Amino acid sequence: MKAHDVTVKRLVEEIAHRGAIRLMLNTALDERVTLEFRQLPLQQAVDRILRGRNYALQYLPPPCSTVNPGARVQGTLWIFSDDAHPAEAAADDTGIVRIAVPDPAGSGNDEATVLLAAALGDWDASVREEAVDVLGDLSGEAAIPLLEQALVDPDSDVQEAAIAALADIGGVQAARALATALNDDNAARRENTVDALGDIGGKTATRLLQRALADQERLVQEAAAEHLAELLNQQD
């Protein structure tokens, strides 16, 4: 890519077009830049263009080096107006790469939460799932009401992502939110909820685990009993 005195927005749009990435902006990106680079990995290219801006990107690399412009969207890039320095890149074992998740202490989190809340209403379940993942990383307790809504999303992957995000956030409010998922019709999801409550711990989680002992599914009962025993041992 070679650019002379063009807006950051135009460059980001070009990156999104070439990489088949959905772009969600919460800032104007009107500043003009001049830069040139060749064959940079996606992370480095975005970092070079955004120059430390707060952004979050989840991206599933395409099966080949050439992306067909008509192919399905491979990921979503959110760009926030906060100018805090982004976090380091990280990859999970699903092949999805998340880079530069905004600093939870950044002043732009309120704006980012609003943008991600809008993404929870997207028609595409993969976008909603990505929004849930970023909410868990970005917003802390401020994200809990939104994650509680995601627990009843029509898509099971979004629901599972919300359970995991609430477990990561932890605390009393997250445990209370997970009470909704204990009533899910899917026994495996109730079991995952029990595991999340065990990870959170505390009095509220303990009370909900005691309720799960009466679950109609034996595996859920056993998981609840195991976590309760672990929590009691930690108190000794």
Side-chain angles (χ1 to χ4, degrees):
M1 178 172 286
K2 183 176 182 179
H4 176 73
D5 192 31
V6 299
T7 64
V8 172
K9 180 180 180 181
R10 181 177 174 184
L11 290 177
V12 171
E13 288 174 341
E14 181 65 20
I15 287 287
H17 173 71
R18 294 187 186 187
I21 298 170
R22 178 182 285 104
L23 187 60
M24 300 185 72
L25 300 178
N26 194 38
T27 182
L29 300 180
D30 289 332
E31 61 268 38
R32 307 182 76 86
V33 297
T34 296
L35 52 79
E36 180 178 357
F37 55 81
R38 294 177 181 273
Q39 298 180 333
L40 281 183
L42 179 63
Q43 175 187 344
Q44 294 180 26
V46 175
D47 275 343
R48 180 80 63 84
I49 293 172
L50 293 178
R51 294 184 177 182
R53 278 184 175 272
N54 243 1
Y55 67 89
L57 169 64
Q58 286 192 306
Y59 181 67
L60 182 62
C64 59
S65 59
T66 302
V67 177
N68 180 355
R72 67 180 180 84
V73 170
Q74 297 288 332
T76 303
L77 170 64
W78 289 272
I79 303 176
F80 312 119
S81 61
D82 179 39
D83 59 1
H85 290 291
E88 295 180 355
D92 61 27
D93 57 8
T94 67
I96 293 178
V97 179
R98 180 185 306 143
I99 60 177
V101 173
D103 182 356
S107 60
N109 283 354
D110 290 343
E111 296 177 3
T113 300
V114 170
L115 183 64
L116 292 167
L120 289 178
D122 195 280
W123 64 270
D124 189 335
S126 65
V127 173
R128 301 197 303 276
E129 183 180 355
E130 290 168 2
V132 165
D133 289 339
V134 178
L135 274 169
D137 290 332
L138 169 65
S139 303
E141 290 191 352
I144 290 176
L146 295 171
L147 293 173
E148 187 171 6
Q149 295 176 28
L151 289 173
V152 294
D153 189 276
D155 185 84
S156 60
D157 289 338
V158 177
Q159 296 174 23
E160 294 289 356
I163 292 171
L166 287 166
D168 289 340
I169 292 172
V172 174
Q173 296 303 320
R176 289 175 178 170
L178 284 168
T180 300
L182 282 180
N183 298 320
D184 196 282
D185 292 336
N186 186 294
R189 194 161 301 120
R190 298 198 304 275
E191 185 178 357
N192 289 341
T193 302
V194 164
D195 291 338
L197 289 168
D199 291 339
I200 292 174
K203 293 182 179 179
T204 299
T206 297
R207 186 174 67 252
L208 292 171
L209 288 171
Q210 289 171 339
R211 182 201 302 180
L213 291 173
D215 191 278
Q216 61 186 5
E217 180 65 38
R218 182 175 179 179
L219 289 177
V220 178
Q221 297 174 17
E222 292 176 348
E226 181 179 346
H227 285 295
L228 282 170
E230 291 174 356
L231 292 176
L232 289 175
N233 287 335
Q234 292 172 7
Q235 295 174 7
D236 291 342

